[in-house]
Amino acid sequence: MSIKKKSTKEVSYTIRILKFSKMGEKTGWTYIEVPADVAEKLFPGNKKSFRVKGCLDDYKIKGVALLPMGGGDFIMPLNAALRKGIGKREGAMLRVTLQRDIAELVVDPDLIECLKEEPEAFNYFSSMPKSHQNYFSKWIEAAKTPETKAKRIARTIHALSNKMNYAEMIRAHV
């Protein structure tokens, strides 16, 4: 891995795409590592999850979460949409350019509209950290058709009414 600092806030490096074989809830995840020294340049002194923007090869990203792994190291999970965007899989080398993304997360307005009609689900959703709210919102926004979006909103409201987080909801409907 090579690291090149472009400015005080942007960092570039090249790294291999990895995949967890057995790692609890992360089993099967495809990801890249963000070593402690890189994370420290992006967000000095931070040990919690935070969002970044930039490029993976030539594929632009924004609002992507880095998850802490201990010892100051972080990972960036590469979901199906990111893997499709970069056109690479486990084992491939990836050119990474990152900077901290401080843009405010905006929850899907259609989800909020529907949640207002379900106070119990709305209260549970509101009690979640913004990063957890964003899992639901991004999943809903990724729907390719209005029908799929409506189904995802309904599924989300049902899960929230039953005090389920995003991972529990996804596992319950696999």
Side-chain angles (χ1 to χ4, degrees):
M1 176 186 74
S2 62
I3 299 174
K4 179 176 75 173
K5 187 175 176 185
K6 287 187 174 182
S7 73
T8 58
K9 295 186 179 183
E10 186 174 272
V11 178
S12 294
Y13 63 102
T14 302
I15 197 154
R16 187 173 309 278
I17 298 172
L18 303 171
K19 188 171 189 173
F20 287 118
S21 54
K22 288 207 173 186
M23 185 72 168
E25 68 178 19
K26 294 176 183 72
T27 299
W29 284 17
T30 303
Y31 66 99
I32 58 170
E33 293 176 333
V34 180
D37 60 329
V38 172
E40 183 65 21
K41 291 172 186 168
L42 293 168
F43 195 173
N46 181 63
K47 302 294 182 209
K48 297 180 181 178
S49 179
F50 66 99
R51 301 209 173 271
V52 294
K53 61 183 176 180
C55 290
L56 302 177
D57 284 343
D58 295 321
Y59 184 72
K60 291 191 182 304
I61 61 167
K62 65 179 181 175
V64 176
L66 298 186
L67 307 177
M69 293 301 289
D73 292 331
F74 286 76
I75 64 166
M76 177 191 295
L78 301 176
N79 63 22
L82 286 176
R83 291 191 308 273
K84 183 177 180 183
I86 60 177
K88 292 185 175 178
R89 295 181 171 196
E90 174 189 7
M93 296 303 290
L94 186 64
R95 194 175 66 254
V96 179
T97 302
L98 299 175
Q99 65 184 77
R100 187 169 161 216
D101 190 346
I102 56 173
E104 183 68 30
L105 296 176
V106 178
V107 176
D108 182 86
D110 294 330
L111 172 60
I112 294 298
E113 184 79 21
C114 292
L115 279 171
K116 287 180 180 176
E117 297 177 20
E118 297 289 337
E120 192 172 320
F122 183 77
N123 290 339
Y124 183 66
F125 182 77
S126 297
S127 74
M128 295 178 147
K130 279 278 193 197
S131 58
H132 290 235
Q133 293 175 7
N134 197 47
Y135 291 133
F136 290 102
S137 186
K138 278 190 160 188
W139 178 65
I140 289 165
E141 289 171 357
K144 291 181 176 58
T145 67
E147 293 81 13
T148 300
K149 184 173 184 176
K151 286 178 187 175
R152 289 182 179 187
I153 289 173
R155 192 164 148 191
T156 296
I157 290 173
H158 176 75
L160 294 169
S161 295
N162 288 293
K163 306 232 182 302
M164 298 171 87
N165 65 31
Y166 179 77
E168 291 167 332
M169 176 189 70
I170 295 298
R171 282 194 296 268
H173 288 84
V174 174

